[in-house]
Amino acid sequence: MDWAKAKTILILCYLVLNLFLGYRLYADPGRSEGRLTVVDSAQLARTTARLAEAGIKLVAPVPERAPALAKITLRHRYSQKEAVSLFFGDSEATILRQEEPGRTIYRRGKEILTFYDNGAMIFRLEGNQMPVILDSAAARRIFEEFWVDRGGLPEGARFDSIYRDERSGKFIVYYYQETDNRGIYGGQAVGMVGPGGLETVLLTWFDVTGSAGRTRAVIPPTDALEMVAGEVKVAERPRELIIESLSLGYFTEPYNARQWEAVPVWRVRFRDGRVYYVNAYTGELEVPSGNLFR
Amino acid sequence: MKPERLEAAKTVLLAALVACSLFLTWQVWWGTPGQYEPLEPAARWRVARETGSDWVRLVRPAMLTLSAGESYWVFLPGDPGFDVLFDEMVSALKGAEAREGSEGFPEGYARFQADFAHPLPLDLFSGNAEHADTRVRSLLLIDSQAIAGYMTDSGNLAWLSLNHPPELELVPGGVSGTPILSSDASLWVTAIPHLTRGVTSAAALEIGHDVLDAFFLDPSVVRSIEEVDGALIYTDGVRGLRVYTDGTLEFSDPSSLPDRGNYSLLSALLEADTFIASTVGWPEYPYLVDYARVSWGEGKTGYRLVFSCSPRGLAIDQPMIEVTVGNRGVVSARRMGTGPGQAGSSLPMIPPVFPFDLPERTVQVEDVRHILPAYAFSERAGYRSYRPVWVITLVDGMKFLVNAHTGTLFQNR
């Protein structure tokens, strides 16, 4: 027997077989125990058509692939003491402290910090600002300048959006928290800027302490979009609806808790400021309970 | 390259290709379970037992009294024959209609009485919607007679006509009792059974390690929140389960808020039965303590059901499970963290002696409407237990407890 020739033939056969198997694995959208969720163009076209039927225009890029994710565990970034230090600095000036059910209020002159038991903080500055000519760029600059004196925005802050409240004429500047390129929606720094300058700052910020549970596939973004379309369909629609942003991150609310878990969500943001969170495991809409949340 | 070395390299390459093909084949074969993991709702629910007509087990009376001539037997939940007798009563009452007049019961027949720890709607037994607002405290049947009596919670006596006269089967079981006749002595028997029961400890109830499997269709999507006070909350974004440090469990499912439409107590009992059996499980000999119709506006109604249990045959006069249910399922549920634990040594239960002195009055035997044996919660020097008592309800509605081991007024501390 010609072993040399036989080996050559076997090598060629196995090479072809491995190429075939490799391609089969690569091309199969449902492979890899849900490590990757894939959206094909036909699926995207169907969703876009359904959104159009519901009067919704999709301008946000839709990810073609989404990785499987595990839950993450969170805890509050700032204790009460750290929050006081963050907003008032290490000044020796007297800070008045007042405890109320569910919250503690600190005052220094015209500055008021309310620290809620669930970790949310609201800092108010009462009428001590210089009048400014206000537009969205100025509002954002004013908000960012506020943080410069405090060592910059909290680590991982990413600019999200800015809106003008039509009734009051004030601008609301949104930053969200990001860790390892994933949004921690619910971790947010929000500023309300009026004609007299920065009026209110809302801060909820978290530390990611690890992951929880097993890594599992997420639903396709198209499913999340259709879920939101179904919700918006029945809601009041004041004007043209445009989905401006679609992203995969984690959802949480501020809790009066030591530690908790957050689940992956698809975040769908409309141009008019509305935001929806769709649980990326179950496809159900997450409904934030507090009005501090966006 | 020398031919020998070339052949050696080809051998290594071939071996590598074979290994690679095996790995890829394994990946293709085992590594593609599909894009999503399927949910298996039905399979994930632990169904502890078959349900259906078991609602009768949830409305057990605290005591059944069978009297024939001068003999009295008392049956408590768990006694042999208890369920057989009660099933007979429920069966006989089906289709019963109101009966005019007050001719009284014929003498000389065996009679059979059920006393409930808490009043229940008569329509649950008769199936007659006209009885929906009538809450009965006691029911009474006469052997071979197509007539039944009931006593309402306010002490009124009334009569029912039965479709078929019951044939009371004298089943072995129960304990003998001493009758104490109430003011309506000719009709109603308040009997004191000759019992021996010990103190039962109150223990923290177990929380199964599979508690999440029981409450959530897919526990892998559930996230936990560890509250500052140590309580744990589990939620899938819609349903929520709170586990308190004392073992109390609280479940809520706003997605089960009911639709418009009528919903019967019987349907609510069946729904609650299935839910509790498949989640935390029923305690020993559960019974319905209280119920109330609740509404969420716009014609959406349901029932709030409160259950307790009867360890060793004595009803605990304390809620153990609360369930709110509508026509779309269980909206909320709560299981207390403490329940009956180990039973102590049995001691004779001393019958209450009349006249009985209360701080504000003296109770004569004629004042008594009925007496039931029960367990009452007690906490002394940090030791929590259930102690045997007599629950004495007077004709004027007043209720008090007598310590069944000392014969004195019961103090829970």
Side-chain angles (χ1 to χ4, degrees), chain B residues 373-390:
Chain B
Y375 271 128
F377 181 74
S378 163
E379 186 163 7
R380 291 179 189 171
Y383 177 65
R384 299 187 301 168
S385 61
Y386 298 99
R387 292 174 183 274
V389 294
W390 300 107

Side-chain angles (χ1 to χ4, degrees), chain A residues 4 7-8 14 18 21 30 32-33 38 71 214 216-217 220 255-261 263 281 284 286, chain B residues 7 10-11 17 20-21 24-25 27 31 33-37 218 220-226 228 237-239:
Chain A
K7 270 193 270 186
T8 305
Y14 271 103
N18 286 347
L21 290 172
S32 69
E33 203 204 3
V38 181
K71 291 174 284 189
R214 62 189 169 85
R216 54 174 291 165
Y255 295 111
N256 183 12
R258 291 190 197 121
Q259 184 165 283
W260 64 96
E261 294 169 358
V263 286
Y281 287 159
E284 291 186 80
E286 296 279 346
Chain B
E7 285 310 307
K10 279 165 70 178
T11 304
L17 284 169
C20 185
S21 73
L24 290 171
T25 306
Q27 278 284 307
Q35 200 164 353
Y36 310 113
E37 293 175 20
D218 183 359
S220 70
V221 304
V222 171
R223 58 213 192 236
S224 67
I225 300 159
E226 187 187 342
V228 173
V238 179
R239 289 154 286 269

